Amino acid sequence: MKILIIGNGGREYAIGLKLQSETNVEKIYFAPGNGATSKIGENVLTSDFEQLAKFAIDNAIDLTIVGPEAPLSAGVVDVFKAHGLAVFGPSKAAARLEGSKAYMKDFLAKNNIKTAQYLNTDNKKEAFKFIDTLGLPVVVKADGLCAGKGVIIAQTHEEAKDAVSDMLSGDSFGDAGKRVVVEEYLDGFELSFFAICDGENFVSLPVAQDHKRLLDNDKGPNTGGMGAYAPSPLAGANLIKRLEDEVVKPTLKGMQNEGAPFCGVLFVGVMVVGDEPYVLEFNVRFGDPECEVLMPLIDGNLSEILLNAANGKLEAVKLKAQCAVGVVISSENYPYKNSPKAKISVKQIPENSHLVYAGVSEKDGEIYASGGRVLVCVGLGDSIKNAQERAYELCKNVEFKGMQYRKDIAWQALR
Ligand code: AMP
Ligand code: GLY
């Protein structure tokens, strides 16, 4: 098979790495890829959907996999399908589950899927009135895609109202904030639940946990995610079954009723309060860095799994009885501002660990940290503890100027 992967992050590198190990995969292309994906495939430097579809036709691509939310929300899958190409990912209409928080919340309500009590509005007065009925803190969300920055946890009613005013005026998030969701704060622990879907059927993957905050003990600013592990012992068989029955099944049915069957990865951001799972949000793609720990746990052939899903014929997925921990190493100034380029040196890669490259560029055969989340050190083992030790052993073998990483990834599993 020839496969095209759209995206440039660690998620896409991790998918490529998994595919590279499969005997039926002949060639992998990344669009646009990063400075390291060119070592496991070939980078294609265009982001125009029609040009990408033409590339896929001209190069006899058998399957295209879309990594990030932006091209999905912009309709890349619809363009590929119009050309009769096999593509794994939701249509533009189905991607609204992530692209519009207002749509997502109304969808959850309509399908009786448990979520935080909320108001969806573009009216300031109405929002203020609702805020006064809520306890503290209050959560305010911009409707549209904001690259993970559109959620404000306000500690006072005034702060919540200011956030609403800033969003509705277009000042803080432009058009993405012209509608807001105001909701009650849920106090519990978060899980990342993934289901590969073909429009009608699904298979669940091991439950993961992300670490959003920059610093140890969940301190510091929010980031795209500083590390992940799977499977999480916090998700027992009963909870998983409830997520399948009470969230994934009604979502697939509901999307069929909307005329937008969901094919792709349904990523449920779950908050567990007491024993009750609430849907915080949907994403319509693999999480990053969750994908980096899920890929090595898939025993089956990913290219076949995703091609079958794209064709509406999903089959069972074999999983390894292993654990994976991924520690993100980020650049010096992440997440505040850009960082200077820094040459990465790797002493050695110990057994049962590997590197996944994200924010990197390449020059004269050397890999440079180019900002943001630079790479992920993944450790595998027969327990979370074991996998964690291996991930951190690998971290010690990586060096670049200004590198930073958390020392407590997977802490909730090891308490
Ligand atoms: P979202 O983009 O909706 O996942 O929100 C980003 C982060 O904000 C989540 O990962 C949670 O940590 C937090 N968050 C969002 N909604 C709520 C809520 N209703 N209660 C508590 N925390 C929330
Ligand atoms: N790791 C969370 C996300 O990809 O949105």
Side-chain angles (χ1 to χ4, degrees):
M1 264 202 247
K2 288 186 188 165
I3 299 183
L4 171 64
I5 301 173
I6 296 179
N8 65 355
R11 166 181 48 210
E12 290 75 25
Y13 185 99
I15 293 170
L17 207 55
K18 166 72 179 152
L19 293 172
Q20 192 195 31
S21 71
E22 299 177 357
T23 49
N24 63 328
V25 176
E26 191 185 322
K27 173 120 200 195
I28 307 169
Y29 295 93
F30 295 87
N34 61 42
T37 53
S38 49
K39 302 213 173 190
I40 48 179
E42 191 176 316
N43 289 353
V44 183
L45 297 176
T46 176
S47 55
D48 179 83
F49 298 166
E50 285 293 342
Q51 275 181 28
L52 279 173
K54 183 169 184 309
F55 175 87
I57 294 164
D58 292 348
N59 291 277
I61 299 293
D62 299 289
L63 172 67
T64 298
I65 300 165
V66 189
E69 62 275 21
L72 291 167
S73 288
V76 70
V77 165
D78 308 67
V79 172
F80 272 61
K81 287 216 164 126
H83 287 283
L85 292 161
V87 54
F88 178 73
S91 65
K92 181 174 184 171
R96 289 182 74 200
L97 282 180
E98 175 166 2
S100 166
K101 291 201 189 289
Y103 174 80
M104 180 263 295
K105 292 291 288 191
D106 289 350
F107 176 88
L108 293 172
K110 188 156 58 165
N111 292 283
N112 294 313
I113 300 170
K114 200 173 262 180
T115 187
Q117 206 203 113
Y118 76 106
L119 174 76
N120 153 19
T121 185
D122 59 2
N123 180 300
K124 194 152 99 173
K125 250 200 197 143
E126 212 176 81
F128 283 15
K129 219 166 114 187
F130 184 68
I131 286 171
D132 285 328
T133 69
L134 295 175
L136 292 171
V138 174
V139 183
V140 180
K141 302 182 176 185
D143 175 40
L145 290 181
C146 301
K149 298 188 180 74
V151 176
I152 308 287
I153 313 275
Q155 300 302 328
T156 65
H157 288 130
E158 276 55 52
E159 199 189 318
K161 289 174 186 173
D162 288 347
V164 164
S165 300
D166 286 347
M167 284 185 193
L168 290 181
S169 69
D171 283 351
S172 38
F173 299 107
D175 283 348
K178 293 254 163 102
R179 174 169 284 281
V180 295
V181 168
V182 180
E183 66 182 34
E184 67 173 324
Y185 180 80
L186 297 173
D187 194 6
F189 62 88
E190 286 185 68
L191 296 172
S192 300
F193 185 80
F194 297 89
I196 296 177
C197 308
D198 72 357
E200 197 177 331
N201 304 299
F202 70 95
V203 287
S204 310
L205 296 179
V207 180
Q209 262 198 317
D210 189 9
H211 299 66
K212 288 261 172 213
R213 305 291 203 96
L214 180 70
L215 306 173
D216 286 6
N217 303 314
D218 292 333
K219 297 281 194 307
N222 261 323
T223 69
M226 294 301 289
Y229 74 90
S232 175
L234 301 178
N238 183 44
L239 185 68
I240 293 173
K241 176 140 189 355
R242 287 193 60 191
L243 288 168
E244 293 177 338
D245 291 345
E246 298 170 27
V247 180
V248 181
K249 283 180 191 168
T251 297
L252 290 180
K253 192 104 200 99
M255 290 308 281
Q256 286 176 355
N257 294 340
E258 304 261 317
F262 189 90
C263 169
V265 176
L266 184 68
F267 166 0
V268 188
V270 183
M271 182 74 87
V272 182
V273 184
D275 290 330
E276 288 299 311
Y278 289 78
V279 175
L280 277 185
E281 63 164 350
F282 282 134
N283 297 307
V284 298
R285 47 159 178 95
F286 280 116
D288 194 347
E290 289 96 326
C291 187
E292 287 88 320
V293 296
L294 291 175
M295 287 301 116
L297 298 180
I298 294 178
D299 201 12
N301 191 305
L302 185 71
S303 46
E304 295 292 342
I305 295 166
L306 300 187
L307 181 64
N308 286 338
N311 290 330
K313 294 180 198 143
L314 186 64
E315 288 177 12
V317 174
K318 269 200 293 183
L319 298 169
K320 291 184 189 156
Q322 267 194 317
C323 300
V325 172
V327 178
V328 171
I329 303 189
S330 76
S331 53
E332 192 171 2
N333 300 324
Y334 181 73
Y336 303 106
K337 54 181 181 145
N338 293 339
S339 307
K341 277 199 181 172
K343 191 166 132 184
I344 301 171
S345 56
V346 180
K347 278 191 226 114
Q348 55 155 341
I349 312 255
E351 250 185 273
N352 292 302
S353 70
H354 63 267
L355 289 174
V356 171
Y357 288 96
V360 296
S361 57
E362 188 258 358
K363 199 176 167 226
D364 302 329
E366 307 275 10
I367 305 277
Y368 289 79
S370 57
R373 294 182 289 168
V374 173
L375 50 81
V376 187
C377 293
V378 179
L380 301 171
D382 50 19
S383 67
I384 299 284
K385 181 87 199 126
N386 194 219
Q388 188 201 47
E389 282 163 8
R390 287 171 170 160
Y392 279 112
E393 194 52 40
L394 180 55
C395 289
K396 287 190 212 145
N397 281 280
V398 175
E399 213 173 285
F400 64 88
K401 191 164 179 293
M403 63 185 257
Q404 53 169 334
Y405 58 93
R406 279 179 62 158
K407 309 292 185 300
D408 65 346
I409 299 305
W411 69 270
Q412 291 192 71
L414 297 170
R415 261 193 293 188

